[in-house]
Amino acid sequence: MKFNYKQMETLFKPKSVAIFGATPKSEKVGNVIIKNFIEEKYQGKIYPINPKYDEVLGIKCYKNINQIKEKIDLAIFAIPSKYIPLAFEQSAKKGVKSAIIISGGFKEAGHKDYEDKIKELSAKYNILVVGPNCLGVLDPYSNVDSIFLPMYKMQRPSKGNISFVTQSGAVAACLVDMIADQGIGLSKFISYGNAAVLNESDFLEFLANDKKTDIIILYIEGTTDGRQLLNTMKKVSKKKPIIVLKAGRGKKGSQTAHSHTGNLAGNYLAYQAAFRQAKVIEANDLDELFDFVKIFNQPLPKGKRIGVITDGGGLGVLTADNIEKYRMELADLTEDMKKKLNQILPFYASVNNPLDMAADAGFEEYEGTIEVFMNDPQIDILIIIVLFQAPAVDERILNLLIKYSNDKRKPIAVVASGGSYTKMYAKILDTNHVPVYDAPSSAVKAVMKMYKYSKFRGKIRK
Amino acid sequence: MKFNYKQMETLFKPKSVAIFGATPKSEKVGNVIIKNFIEEKYQGKIYPINPKYDEVLGIKCYKNINQIKEKIDLAIFAIPSKYIPLAFEQSAKKGVKSAIIISGGFKEAGHKDYEDKIKELSAKYNILVVGPNCLGVLDPYSNVDSIFLPMYKMQRPSKGNISFVTQSGAVAACLVDMIADQGIGLSKFISYGNAAVLNESDFLEFLANDKKTDIIILYIEGTTDGRQLLNTMKKVSKKKPIIVLKAGRGKKGSQTAHSHTGNLAGNYLAYQAAFRQAKVIEANDLDELFDFVKIFNQPLPKGKRIGVITDGGGLGVLTADNIEKYRMELADLTEDMKKKLNQILPFYASVNNPLDMAADAGFEEYEGTIEVFMNDPQIDILIIIVLFQAPAVDERILNLLIKYSNDKRKPIAVVASGGSYTKMYAKILDTNHVPVYDAPSSAVKAVMKMYKYSKFRGKIRK
C-alpha cells in the first residue's frame, strides 16, 4: 500500500470515530479510551460499539459497525484479538479509512495468523492501520486520544511542535507523561506496536510534511525494513531533527525486544551506522531523549563557542568540565567584553568564562551580562545557570530568560537544579520554550547534539 | 591543630550560638540565618550580635560578643570580611569552641591576610573553623542551620543517615534541595568553602565515627592536602561508602575552580587514581551523585546477577541493554523459577529475564514474582519497573515495594518514570528508603556502583 498524506490525516483528525470495546466498566481499556474522547472534547462524532450495551457513558452504543448509518473515518479496536479480524472486515466493507488496533494477542503472542489477516484486509480495502499491540494515537490539536492510561495517571501534553513515533507503549507513556508534566507541548504521538501495516518510516515521512511538527522523536526496538528506515531518516533529517532512542542494543536486550513486539532488534552496529549516516541524534535513555528534545526549540548555533553565566561557582566549574569533556569550546572573552562586564558586576567579581557573578547576583546582573554575551560575536551558545535558591534571584529573571530565548538570536540553555521551588520555576521556563536542565552535563550534552545537527544542516559560520 | 571529636560536635549540637550580622532586614544573609534557628526550633540559646539593633526578631541583640555573659559554643559570622578578624579574636578570647564563617572576601578575593589571621587565631585559641566563603552547617537533628538560602526557596531535608561534605555552596544547595524534595533524609551537611582550618579530610574522619551517618557524599574542587585526603578516604571507605563528585576536572574547569575558592584543583588524573585506590565511588554530575547515594540504603549485594521485573516491555529492553553496557549480568532463570512464575502469570506472558508481565499486571503479579526472585539464589539484585500509569497498578504496590525493601534480604532498585502522578508515588518510595529512578540506565549504573563497593567490602559470595 502506498503512503497517502490525506488518508493519513484521518488518523489524526477524523470526522468520526468508532470505538470497538467501549464500555461503562472503568479500568477497562475501552472505557478509558471513550472517556478520553468525551473528556478531552473531541469535536467529531463518537460511535461506541459493544453488543452488551445500548448506551455507554450517555452515548448510543451499537452492536456492530453495520448498524451505524453515518460514515466512519477511524475505527479503534479495544477487543480481544480473536474478534478483531471479523470486526475489521466489517469495518473495511463499511468504508472506514483508517484503524488503530490497541489490543495485543497478535504476532508477539504467537498469533501471526490474525496479523496476516489484518494485513491482507488492509491491502484489499486500502485501510491504514496503526498497531496492533500499541497505544495508538494522541493529537492535542484534534483531541484524538486512544491511550488507555487514565488521564489522572498519565498527563496529556498541551499543543506543541514535537511529534513522537514509538514502538513501545510503556516507554512512550513515560516520556509523554514527563513532557506533559514539564509543560512541554506535543503535536502528534503515534505508538505503532507490531507495525503490521504502517511502520516507523511511514510516520516519519508523514511528519516531515506535517506543518505542526518541528522536532521528531523516534523510539525503536527493531524494524521490519531497515533499508526503508535508513532512506527515510536521511530524507527527513534534512528537514527536521530526529532524536532516536534505540532499545535492544545488547545481545540480551535484543532477545528481550523480540518477545516484546515480535520484531527482530537486529544488529545494533548496523543501526548505529544508519543513525550516523542519516544524521539522526541518538539518545541513550529516556532522560537523555527528554534532554535532547527540549534544546531544539532554540535556534541552531553558528558555532561551538559557549559562554557560561552563573551565580554559583561550583556549577560553573562543572559546566566547564563538561564543555571540555564533550569537545565544545569555552569562548574567550575579548577585552571589550571584559570592560563591559566589569561595569555591570561588583569590583570583586572575577570576569572570566564561566562568568561567576556569585550568589548576590540579581536581575540587573543577569540582564546586563546576558546582553553582553548575546551581542558579542565571540559567543555562539549561552548556558545560563540560575540558583533560584539564592535570595537575590526573583521572578523577573524568568521574564528575562523567556525574552532572550524567544528573540531567537542565539541558543540558550538554562541550568536550574533543586527542589520544588526551583522545579516550579523550571516548569514555567520549559512551558515558554526555554530549555532547562537540572545538571550541567545534561545541558552541555544537549547543546553539543544541537551543534552537530547545525553543522549537518550547514548553519555553522564559515 | 589536632582533630578532636568532642569539640567537633560543638559545630553540630552547640548549646549556644552567637550570630554576628543577625538583622531584621529580610534578604540579608544574617536575617535568613537567625530565622532558620528560630523557625526550625533550635533548642539551644541564640545570641544575635549587631551594633545597630537592641533586638532582632524578638530576641535581645548584643553590640559585641563581650556583652554576652553566658558561655558560647558556636559563633557564626555573617558580616563583611574586614570586620571578621577582630570579631573572631573577641570570640576566641571569650572562649568560643567553634566558628562558622559564612562571608566571602578572603583568599578567593585577594585577602589572604584576613584568612591567615583566622588561621593564626584558630591555632592560638584552639577554635574549630568552618569556612570562610561557605554555607556552613545544617543538622536536621539539632536544627543548627547556617544556610543563608531562605527555606521557601531551598527545602530542608528531614532527619536521615546521609552526610554531605562540600566545598561549593551552590552545588550543595542544589543537591540538598533535591534530596529534601525527594523526601530523603540527611544527617549532617558541611559546606566548608576555603577550608582555612578544617578541610574535607577532617570532616570525613569525623563522619566515619558519627553514628547517625551511614553514607557520605563529598563534593570537592581541590584540596590543600592531597596526601591527607587519600589516607583519610582509604580509612573511611572501609567503614562507610563515600560518593564523590570532583569538579575542576578539565583544564578550563580547574582554572575556574581556582578563582572560585582559591584552591588549586590540581591534576584530575591524580584525583582519579586516589579515588580508585581508596575505593571511593565517583559520580560525574549532580544527577549521578543523587542517583548513587540513594542505592546505598539497600543491603550490599552478594553478586552481580540482576533479576528484572516489569509491566512495560520497552523499559525491560532498555534495562537489559544497560545491564550489558555496565557489565552486570542478567540472571538465568532456573526451570524451577520458571515453573513458579508460570503459575503466577497468565498463559500468554513470556517467562524470561527481564520478566515482562505486560500492562495488565497488578498487585498479585508483582507480589508473586518479587517473592520468587527474592527467594531464588540465582538472583543477587532486583530491578523492579513499575508503570504507575497502568490501570492495574495501585497503591498496594507501594506497600509491597516498601516491605521488600525494608526486609533487607536483597537490594532493590525501582524504575518509575513519568509525570506528577508517578512522581508523587516515587517520592513516597524514596521517603521510605526504596531507591527510585526515572530511567533504566540510572538504576543500572547505581546498582553497578553498589556491586563494586560490595566487592571491595568483601561481601560477594565465594
Side-chain angles (χ1 to χ4, degrees), chain A residues 153 155 174 177 181 221 248-252 260 285 314 317 321 324 389-390 393 417 419-421 423 440-441, chain B residues 149 153 155 174 177 181 221 248-252 260 285 314 317 321 324 389-390 393 417 419-420 423 440-441:
Chain A
K153 290 193 162 208
Q155 295 162 263
C174 296
D177 199 10
D181 185 45
E221 292 176 359
R249 278 167 285 184
K251 219 171 128 191
K252 287 269 188 176
H260 179 217
D285 204 341
V317 180
D321 283 344
E324 199 162 324
Q389 294 92 342
V393 168
S417 190
S420 58
Y421 181 84
K423 283 175 182 165
S441 59
Chain B
L149 306 169
K153 289 194 162 206
Q155 294 162 264
C174 295
D177 198 9
D181 184 45
E221 292 176 359
R249 280 168 283 186
K251 218 169 128 191
K252 286 270 187 172
H260 179 215
D285 204 343
V317 180
D321 284 345
E324 200 162 325
Q389 295 92 343
V393 168
S417 189
S420 58
K423 284 176 183 165
S441 60

Side-chain angles (χ1 to χ4, degrees), chain A residues 256-319:
Chain A
T256 311
H258 183 51
S259 65
H260 179 217
T261 52
N263 286 320
L264 281 167
N267 184 337
Y268 176 51
L269 290 176
Y271 280 94
Q272 246 187 340
F275 296 154
R276 271 199 213 113
Q277 226 184 314
K279 305 294 177 191
V280 152
I281 298 129
E282 195 182 357
N284 279 312
D285 204 341
L286 271 175
D287 49 358
E288 261 194 25
L289 192 64
F290 186 60
D291 287 343
F292 293 172
V293 166
K294 302 202 291 187
I295 199 72
F296 282 95
N297 269 318
Q298 292 295 304
L300 293 175
K302 297 205 166 60
K304 56 152 57 171
R305 297 164 310 173
I306 302 176
V308 182
I309 296 171
T310 182
D311 61 344
L315 291 163
V317 180
L318 287 170
T319 307

Side-chain angles (χ1 to χ4, degrees), chain B residues 238-280:
Chain B
K238 271 175 207 149
K239 296 178 75 172
K240 296 174 185 180
I242 305 173
I243 296 131
V244 70
L245 176 58
K246 163 77 174 83
R249 280 168 283 186
K251 218 169 128 191
K252 286 270 187 172
S254 92
Q255 284 163 11
T256 309
H258 182 51
S259 66
H260 179 215
T261 52
N263 285 321
L264 280 169
N267 185 338
Y268 176 51
L269 290 176
Y271 279 95
Q272 245 185 341
F275 295 153
R276 272 199 212 113
Q277 226 184 313
K279 305 294 175 187
V280 152

Side-chain angles (χ1 to χ4, degrees), chain B residues 32-44 46 137-152 154-159:
Chain B
V32 177
I33 295 174
I34 188 161
K35 259 196 201 150
N36 293 345
F37 279 84
I38 296 169
E39 291 175 13
E40 294 177 41
K41 303 199 171 96
Y42 163 70
Q43 296 295 317
I46 310 167
V137 167
L138 169 69
D139 185 327
Y141 290 90
S142 67
N143 296 321
V144 165
D145 181 355
S146 69
I147 299 182
F148 60 80
L149 306 169
M151 272 184 275
Y152 76 95
M154 192 200 104
Q155 294 162 264
R156 270 43 169 189
S158 53
K159 293 169 185 146

Side-chain angles (χ1 to χ4, degrees), chain A residues 171-184:
Chain A
V171 169
C174 296
L175 193 79
V176 171
D177 199 10
M178 283 164 87
I179 283 177
D181 185 45
Q182 205 54 36
I184 296 172

